[in-house]
Amino acid sequence: MDNNCIFCKIIRGEIPSRKVYEDEDILAFHDIKPVAPVHFLMVPKLHIPSLMEAGQGHQAVLGKILALSGKLAQEQGAKDGFRTIINTGRVGRQEVYHLHVHIIGGPDPLPAMLKR
Ligand code: 5GP
Ligand code: ZN
């Protein structure tokens, strides 16, 4: 837990969020500024700042997030696919330093991943 982390505050219920899913390891909630009809975030409850700090001890929770992503995405309406994005660090233009996976369904089809 990081007292100043906005996602830790959401996990603790100190900041409201629109919950998609919760268990002992994971919270999923809708992004406050969605870029698509389906746009939610999946976070480990453990405060891991980014993928730069992720290590072997985090394999289980990170695997759990990905293994659950398709089910939650479909439940939220992304029936024909979606994109997962993890922004990491300055170059990755990460804004919130609590590791999170964006689940983005739409627009249909999504633009190409990056401009060549
Ligand atoms: P990043 O750029 O770090 O990958 O993305 C951070 C995401 O968190 C952004 O899409 C932003 O809209 C979302 N976000 C930031 N603050 C809050 C908040 O207080 N509540 C929710 N639900 N989403 C937030
Ligand atoms: Zn945190």
Side-chain angles (χ1 to χ4, degrees):
M1 285 293 170
D2 177 327
N3 284 337
N4 295 317
C5 169
I6 195 162
F7 288 174
C8 283
K9 288 181 182 172
I10 287 175
I11 291 161
R12 291 197 295 264
E14 293 168 15
I15 293 177
S17 69
R18 289 173 53 227
K19 194 188 299 182
V20 169
Y21 173 85
E22 181 169 20
D23 66 25
E24 64 274 26
D25 304 312
I26 292 172
L27 181 67
F29 53 96
H30 292 280
D31 196 291
I32 203 165
K33 283 190 193 163
V35 299
V38 175
H39 185 182
F40 61 94
L41 306 173
M42 298 183 73
V43 305
K45 287 192 170 176
L46 182 69
H47 180 82
I48 309 166
S50 81
L51 276 185
M52 307 262 274
E53 289 78 22
Q56 290 206 335
H58 306 126
Q59 283 182 8
V61 72
L62 296 179
K64 192 172 177 179
I65 286 173
L66 289 186
L68 193 61
S69 61
K71 178 175 183 283
L72 296 186
Q74 289 177 82
E75 283 173 5
Q76 291 302 314
K79 302 288 184 201
D80 294 313
F82 58 93
R83 184 166 291 164
T84 45
I85 298 177
I86 306 176
N87 295 319
T88 301
R90 180 183 60 81
V91 169
R93 296 180 66 165
Q94 184 176 0
E95 288 175 6
V96 176
Y97 278 79
H98 180 126
L99 201 163
H100 52 281
V101 180
H102 293 259
I103 308 293
I104 299 172
D108 180 5
L110 277 151
M113 192 170 64
L114 287 173
K115 284 191 188 128
R116 288 186 189 281

